[in-house]
PDB file of all heavy atoms in Angstrom:
ATOM      1  N   MET A   1       6.743  59.772 -54.382  1.00 48.00           N
ATOM      2  CA  MET A   1       7.019  59.455 -52.978  1.00 48.00           C
ATOM      3  C   MET A   1       5.801  58.794 -52.346  1.00 48.00           C
ATOM      4  O   MET A   1       4.674  59.281 -52.479  1.00 48.00           O
ATOM      5  CB  MET A   1       7.367  60.753 -52.232  1.00 48.00           C
ATOM      6  CG  MET A   1       7.736  60.495 -50.778  1.00 48.00           C
ATOM      7  SD  MET A   1       8.238  62.031 -49.949  1.00 48.00           S
ATOM      8  CE  MET A   1       8.579  61.412 -48.322  1.00 48.00           C
ATOM      9  N   THR A   2       6.042  57.636 -51.623  1.00 51.00           N
ATOM     10  CA  THR A   2       4.934  56.889 -51.025  1.00 51.00           C
ATOM     11  C   THR A   2       4.663  57.412 -49.620  1.00 51.00           C
ATOM     12  O   THR A   2       5.579  57.577 -48.814  1.00 51.00           O
ATOM     13  CB  THR A   2       5.283  55.404 -50.943  1.00 51.00           C
ATOM     14  OG1 THR A   2       5.592  54.948 -52.250  1.00 51.00           O
ATOM     15  CG2 THR A   2       4.115  54.620 -50.373  1.00 51.00           C
ATOM     16  N   THR A   3       3.400  57.629 -49.350  1.00 52.00           N
ATOM     17  CA  THR A   3       3.005  58.111 -48.027  1.00 52.00           C
ATOM     18  C   THR A   3       2.547  56.930 -47.172  1.00 52.00           C
ATOM     19  O   THR A   3       1.698  56.144 -47.588  1.00 52.00           O
ATOM     20  CB  THR A   3       1.843  59.131 -48.145  1.00 52.00           C
ATOM     21  OG1 THR A   3       2.274  60.188 -48.995  1.00 52.00           O
ATOM     22  CG2 THR A   3       1.483  59.660 -46.778  1.00 52.00           C
ATOM     23  N   ARG A   4       3.141  56.758 -45.944  1.00 53.00           N
ATOM     24  CA  ARG A   4       2.777  55.644 -45.048  1.00 53.00           C
ATOM     25  C   ARG A   4       1.431  55.932 -44.405  1.00 53.00           C
ATOM     26  O   ARG A   4       1.187  57.020 -43.887  1.00 53.00           O
ATOM     27  CB  ARG A   4       3.854  55.467 -43.986  1.00 53.00           C
ATOM     28  CG  ARG A   4       3.502  54.374 -42.974  1.00 53.00           C
ATOM     29  CD  ARG A   4       4.612  54.151 -41.981  1.00 53.00           C
ATOM     30  NE  ARG A   4       5.815  53.660 -42.634  1.00 53.00           N
ATOM     31  CZ  ARG A   4       6.953  53.419 -41.991  1.00 53.00           C
ATOM     32  NH1 ARG A   4       7.030  53.690 -40.703  1.00 53.00           N
ATOM     33  NH2 ARG A   4       7.996  52.980 -42.641  1.00 53.00           N
ATOM     34  N   ASP A   5       0.579  54.973 -44.459  1.00 54.00           N
ATOM     35  CA  ASP A   5      -0.746  55.097 -43.831  1.00 54.00           C
ATOM     36  C   ASP A   5      -0.586  54.983 -42.317  1.00 54.00           C
ATOM     37  O   ASP A   5      -0.087  53.996 -41.796  1.00 54.00           O
ATOM     38  CB  ASP A   5      -1.652  53.975 -44.341  1.00 54.00           C
ATOM     39  CG  ASP A   5      -3.098  54.167 -43.873  1.00 54.00           C
ATOM     40  OD1 ASP A   5      -3.311  54.943 -42.921  1.00 54.00           O
ATOM     41  OD2 ASP A   5      -3.987  53.517 -44.450  1.00 54.00           O
ATOM     42  N   SER A   6      -0.973  56.045 -41.623  1.00 53.00           N
ATOM     43  CA  SER A   6      -0.797  56.074 -40.164  1.00 53.00           C
ATOM     44  C   SER A   6      -1.617  55.014 -39.447  1.00 53.00           C
ATOM     45  O   SER A   6      -1.394  54.719 -38.283  1.00 53.00           O
ATOM     46  CB  SER A   6      -1.187  57.463 -39.624  1.00 53.00           C
ATOM     47  OG  SER A   6      -2.554  57.733 -39.923  1.00 53.00           O
ATOM     48  N   SER A   7      -2.558  54.398 -40.164  1.00 53.00           N
ATOM     49  CA  SER A   7      -3.392  53.368 -39.535  1.00 53.00           C
ATOM     50  C   SER A   7      -2.749  51.982 -39.603  1.00 53.00           C
ATOM     51  O   SER A   7      -3.250  51.048 -39.019  1.00 53.00           O
ATOM     52  CB  SER A   7      -4.772  53.320 -40.196  1.00 53.00           C
ATOM     53  OG  SER A   7      -4.637  52.912 -41.541  1.00 53.00           O
ATOM     54  N   ASP A   8      -1.616  51.847 -40.328  1.00 68.00           N
ATOM     55  CA  ASP A   8      -0.979  50.540 -40.495  1.00 68.00           C
ATOM     56  C   ASP A   8      -0.534  49.893 -39.182  1.00 68.00           C
ATOM     57  O   ASP A   8      -0.831  48.730 -38.936  1.00 68.00           O
ATOM     58  CB  ASP A   8       0.204  50.640 -41.452  1.00 68.00           C
ATOM     59  CG  ASP A   8      -0.266  50.729 -42.909  1.00 68.00           C
ATOM     60  OD1 ASP A   8      -1.471  50.510 -43.165  1.00 68.00           O
ATOM     61  OD2 ASP A   8       0.590  51.005 -43.753  1.00 68.00           O
ATOM     62  N   PRO A   9       0.209  50.636 -38.308  1.00 69.00           N
ATOM     63  CA  PRO A   9       0.650  50.012 -37.050  1.00 69.00           C
ATOM     64  C   PRO A   9      -0.495  49.480 -36.196  1.00 69.00           C
ATOM     65  O   PRO A   9      -0.439  48.340 -35.732  1.00 69.00           O
ATOM     66  CB  PRO A   9       1.418  51.133 -36.345  1.00 69.00           C
ATOM     67  CG  PRO A   9       1.910  51.981 -37.450  1.00 69.00           C
ATOM     68  CD  PRO A   9       0.815  51.968 -38.478  1.00 69.00           C
ATOM     69  N   PRO A  10      -1.561  50.247 -35.990  1.00 77.00           N
ATOM     70  CA  PRO A  10      -2.670  49.685 -35.219  1.00 77.00           C
ATOM     71  C   PRO A  10      -3.260  48.446 -35.870  1.00 77.00           C
ATOM     72  O   PRO A  10      -3.642  47.495 -35.177  1.00 77.00           O
ATOM     73  CB  PRO A  10      -3.682  50.830 -35.171  1.00 77.00           C
ATOM     74  CG  PRO A  10      -2.847  52.053 -35.307  1.00 77.00           C
ATOM     75  CD  PRO A  10      -1.776  51.680 -36.264  1.00 77.00           C
ATOM     76  N   LYS A  11      -3.347  48.423 -37.209  1.00 77.00           N
ATOM     77  CA  LYS A  11      -3.869  47.255 -37.906  1.00 77.00           C
ATOM     78  C   LYS A  11      -2.992  46.037 -37.658  1.00 77.00           C
ATOM     79  O   LYS A  11      -3.470  44.930 -37.415  1.00 77.00           O
ATOM     80  CB  LYS A  11      -3.984  47.532 -39.407  1.00 77.00           C
ATOM     81  CG  LYS A  11      -5.150  48.437 -39.781  1.00 77.00           C
ATOM     82  CD  LYS A  11      -5.218  48.591 -41.272  1.00 77.00           C
ATOM     83  CE  LYS A  11      -6.404  49.491 -41.681  1.00 77.00           C
ATOM     84  NZ  LYS A  11      -6.465  49.651 -43.143  1.00 77.00           N
ATOM     85  N   LYS A  12      -1.676  46.260 -37.730  1.00 79.00           N
ATOM     86  CA  LYS A  12      -0.744  45.158 -37.499  1.00 79.00           C
ATOM     87  C   LYS A  12      -0.849  44.659 -36.065  1.00 79.00           C
ATOM     88  O   LYS A  12      -0.817  43.455 -35.796  1.00 79.00           O
ATOM     89  CB  LYS A  12       0.684  45.594 -37.793  1.00 79.00           C
ATOM     90  CG  LYS A  12       0.949  45.830 -39.270  1.00 79.00           C
ATOM     91  CD  LYS A  12       2.390  46.261 -39.500  1.00 79.00           C
ATOM     92  CE  LYS A  12       2.669  46.484 -40.997  1.00 79.00           C
ATOM     93  NZ  LYS A  12       4.053  46.929 -41.218  1.00 79.00           N
ATOM     94  N   SER A  13      -0.985  45.602 -35.131  1.00 85.00           N
ATOM     95  CA  SER A  13      -1.106  45.224 -33.721  1.00 85.00           C
ATOM     96  C   SER A  13      -2.371  44.400 -33.495  1.00 85.00           C
ATOM     97  O   SER A  13      -2.354  43.382 -32.789  1.00 85.00           O
ATOM     98  CB  SER A  13      -1.144  46.468 -32.831  1.00 85.00           C
ATOM     99  OG  SER A  13       0.053  47.188 -32.928  1.00 85.00           O
ATOM    100  N   ARG A  14      -3.465  44.866 -34.121  1.00 85.00           N
ATOM    101  CA  ARG A  14      -4.713  44.123 -33.970  1.00 85.00           C
ATOM    102  C   ARG A  14      -4.602  42.732 -34.591  1.00 85.00           C
ATOM    103  O   ARG A  14      -5.136  41.754 -34.071  1.00 85.00           O
ATOM    104  CB  ARG A  14      -5.865  44.905 -34.616  1.00 85.00           C
ATOM    105  CG  ARG A  14      -6.321  46.107 -33.799  1.00 85.00           C
ATOM    106  CD  ARG A  14      -7.665  46.604 -34.282  1.00 85.00           C
ATOM    107  NE  ARG A  14      -7.599  47.124 -35.628  1.00 85.00           N
ATOM    108  CZ  ARG A  14      -7.331  48.402 -35.936  1.00 85.00           C
ATOM    109  NH1 ARG A  14      -7.093  49.271 -34.955  1.00 85.00           N
ATOM    110  NH2 ARG A  14      -7.295  48.806 -37.188  1.00 85.00           N
ATOM    111  N   THR A  15      -3.879  42.663 -35.701  1.00 88.00           N
ATOM    112  CA  THR A  15      -3.684  41.352 -36.350  1.00 88.00           C
ATOM    113  C   THR A  15      -2.892  40.410 -35.457  1.00 88.00           C
ATOM    114  O   THR A  15      -3.232  39.235 -35.312  1.00 88.00           O
ATOM    115  CB  THR A  15      -2.958  41.525 -37.691  1.00 88.00           C
ATOM    116  OG1 THR A  15      -3.728  42.373 -38.535  1.00 88.00           O
ATOM    117  CG2 THR A  15      -2.744  40.184 -38.366  1.00 88.00           C
ATOM    118  N   VAL A  16      -1.839  40.943 -34.826  1.00 87.00           N
ATOM    119  CA  VAL A  16      -1.014  40.132 -33.919  1.00 87.00           C
ATOM    120  C   VAL A  16      -1.845  39.658 -32.735  1.00 87.00           C
ATOM    121  O   VAL A  16      -1.810  38.488 -32.355  1.00 87.00           O
ATOM    122  CB  VAL A  16       0.216  40.933 -33.437  1.00 87.00           C
ATOM    123  CG1 VAL A  16       0.932  40.175 -32.319  1.00 87.00           C
ATOM    124  CG2 VAL A  16       1.168  41.187 -34.584  1.00 87.00           C
TER     125      VAL A  16
END
Side-chain angles (χ1 to χ4, degrees):
M1 183 177 180
T2 303
T3 303
R4 177 176 296 178
D5 188 343
S6 61
S7 65
D8 283 349
K11 285 183 179 180
K12 290 180 179 179
S13 297
R14 285 195 295 270
T15 301
V16 170

